[in-house]
Amino acid sequence: MNKRRISLMIALVLLFSLLASCKPKVRMKFSFDYFDSFDTLVKATGYFFTQEEADKFDKKLAEKLKYYDNLFDCHKEHEGLNNVYTINKMAGKEKVKVDEALINLISQSKTLGLKYDSRVNIAFGAIIELWEKSMTEAYENDELKAATPDIDELKERAKYASLNNIIIDKEESTVYITDERTKINLGSVAKGYAVELICNELKDEGFDSVVISAGGNVKTIGHPNGETKRKWTVGVENPYSASEMKEGDSEIYDILYTMDKSIVTSGDYQRYFYGLDNVKYNHIIDTRTLSSARNFRAVTVITKDSGIADFLSTLLFTMTYEEGAETIKDFPDTEALWINFDNTEFYTDGLKHYSKSLGATN
């Protein structure tokens, strides 16, 4: 090997070393807020090497949140997009061709719904519509009060709220509702499912240190700041209002340490109103009573898939603890926390690996 060739190789090594030294080695922390999707505040925190990387993440997340919010929307149509509203509008008339993500969510929700006796029923749209009307009226009232839906009308609409009225053709990518009185509402599952899809897309694009919180739905990707020995710290909100708390109680009920997990909470303390009977009514409807589920103040589920976690937290909220504890056995590597009305709790044995109050550390 001659001296000229050796010199060239040395020059190339020096060049590559120089380029490598130009790459940022320290991540910076960025936080983002989004106010226009899924009727809730969505917050994201991530660690990025450059401002440009953070901006790319911000743009991607905002676009995807808006897209899936529109796709899963049952309240209004969006130009150029067949969504849940479109499917409901065409009920009893014709099939509707929709995006694969919507087909898969409806299919998963129908399958799981039928498996668990329709306790979480996406065909309950016409019933939920009545409860949403009462809640809207209450929000316009300073006392947060409104008349509850007429029970006879609820029972009449429930006759047509069958999951079997939803026909899915995955090959043609179509959804058809056989009865024009049946309406789909994905409110109990859509947010978690959307967060899962979005996070998978973000990971595919190389974003590996992120946490997203969409209301009661939290999803973590990787480790904070890329540090493999650290976990994300996620607070479980105390479901008791300030007037209900005892002296010294915190707004955070517990701290959970997780990585690459989803944490979803269903509770009666965020979306609710009071009937003219002064009874508190929350937004989670028990399909057997056609009224608010009242077994717990809150149920938190920890598992890998945010869509499954969203479904499960709603399902367990409508069950007794004994029913829920048995049901959760169907879902491997899944833990749950039930908070009762008297501030006592139930939890699965594996929760101790995540819960600060049960001895877990970061």
Side-chain angles (χ1 to χ4, degrees):
M1 184 180 294
N2 59 43
K3 292 183 178 180
R4 185 177 178 184
R5 189 170 182 183
I6 292 174
S7 298
L8 179 60
M9 291 178 65
I10 293 174
L12 288 172
V13 170
L14 290 173
L15 176 61
F16 288 135
S17 297
L18 180 62
L19 290 173
S21 67
C22 293
K23 183 178 179 180
K25 294 181 179 179
V26 178
R27 299 183 192 233
M28 297 174 286
K29 183 178 179 180
F30 292 83
S31 296
F32 312 91
D33 292 337
Y34 310 90
F35 298 93
D36 58 351
S37 299
F38 292 100
D39 195 28
T40 191
L41 168 63
V42 178
K43 301 176 73 69
T45 297
Y47 291 87
F48 308 95
F49 290 110
T50 65
Q51 179 70 56
E52 290 74 19
E53 187 182 16
D55 290 343
K56 180 182 177 182
F57 169 87
D58 182 22
K59 181 180 179 181
K60 176 81 172 182
L61 180 52
E63 289 175 349
K64 288 299 178 179
L65 281 170
K66 198 61 186 174
Y67 176 73
Y68 288 121
D69 184 29
N70 291 346
L71 184 65
F72 300 151
D73 190 358
C74 67
H75 296 103
K76 60 181 180 294
E77 56 188 345
H78 298 276
E79 186 176 355
L81 182 68
N82 285 342
N83 62 358
V84 177
Y85 180 90
T86 315
I87 297 171
N88 289 339
K89 184 179 178 181
M90 293 294 106
K93 299 175 184 176
E94 61 183 61
K95 301 176 182 178
V96 178
K97 190 175 183 65
V98 297
D99 184 285
E100 181 182 12
L102 182 50
I103 283 279
N104 290 339
L105 175 54
I106 291 174
S107 179
Q108 175 179 284
S109 301
K110 178 181 177 180
T111 299
L112 289 173
L114 290 172
K115 181 176 181 179
Y116 295 103
D117 197 29
S118 296
R119 299 285 279 270
V120 178
N121 187 342
I122 62 170
F124 245 55
I127 290 92
I128 294 172
E129 186 177 71
L130 294 178
W131 281 103
E132 287 180 341
K133 181 180 179 182
S134 292
M135 191 165 293
T136 298
E137 290 177 359
Y139 285 170
E140 295 172 351
N141 184 329
D142 291 338
E143 296 182 352
L144 203 63
K145 278 189 174 184
T148 54
D150 179 75
I151 186 61
D152 290 330
E153 186 171 1
L154 288 169
K155 288 179 178 179
E156 180 63 24
R157 293 191 178 200
K159 294 177 182 178
Y160 314 106
S162 171
L163 287 166
N164 289 318
N165 289 349
I166 303 172
I167 308 301
I168 303 158
D169 189 328
K170 285 194 172 184
E171 289 188 5
E172 292 187 8
S173 195
T174 61
V175 179
Y176 175 60
I177 299 177
T178 59
D179 193 311
E180 63 180 6
R181 295 163 293 188
T182 304
K183 292 185 178 181
I184 295 174
N185 184 305
L186 298 176
S188 59
V189 292
K191 195 163 46 175
Y193 193 85
V195 169
E196 183 68 20
L197 291 177
I198 292 169
C199 285
N200 288 337
E201 293 179 41
L202 292 172
K203 284 191 290 185
D204 288 343
E205 294 203 11
F207 299 111
D208 61 356
S209 182
V210 174
V211 59
I212 296 174
S213 175
N217 296 254
V218 177
K219 176 77 175 184
T220 60
I221 300 175
H223 304 262
N225 204 16
E227 299 175 19
T228 56
K229 293 184 179 180
R230 288 182 59 199
K231 298 177 182 178
W232 293 97
T233 300
V234 179
V236 177
E237 185 176 353
N238 195 323
Y240 291 88
S241 66
S243 62
E244 295 174 303
M245 292 184 192
K246 299 176 182 177
E247 185 176 352
D249 286 349
S250 170
E251 293 182 1
I252 301 300
Y253 184 86
D254 199 358
I255 297 292
L256 303 176
Y257 301 117
T258 69
M259 57 183 183
D260 291 316
K261 290 286 186 179
S262 299
I263 302 172
V264 177
T265 298
S266 291
D268 73 346
Y269 54 93
Q270 288 187 332
R271 294 177 59 195
Y272 63 88
F273 72 98
Y274 290 93
L276 300 181
D277 53 3
N278 290 319
V279 173
K280 182 180 179 181
Y281 294 89
N282 67 71
H283 70 290
I284 303 174
I285 304 304
D286 187 323
T287 57
R288 297 162 303 169
T289 66
L290 307 181
S291 185
S292 297
R294 305 181 185 282
N295 293 317
F296 308 98
R297 290 303 304 266
V299 177
T300 296
V301 172
I302 306 175
T303 194
K304 185 174 179 61
D305 188 300
S306 184
I308 296 298
D310 208 358
F311 173 86
L312 257 184
S313 69
T314 304
L315 178 64
L316 298 186
F317 196 85
T318 68
M319 293 179 161
T320 64
Y321 165 69
E322 291 75 16
E323 292 172 327
E326 192 62 30
T327 296
I328 206 169
K329 294 177 183 178
D330 296 339
F331 298 85
D333 194 25
T334 299
E335 309 301 335
L337 166 68
W338 294 260
I339 302 175
N340 300 311
F341 285 97
D342 60 357
N343 207 19
T344 59
E345 63 182 32
F346 301 113
Y347 52 84
T348 53
D349 289 341
L351 191 72
K352 63 188 177 200
H353 300 301
Y354 303 94
S355 166
K356 180 179 180 180
S357 67
L358 296 177
T361 57
N362 194 353

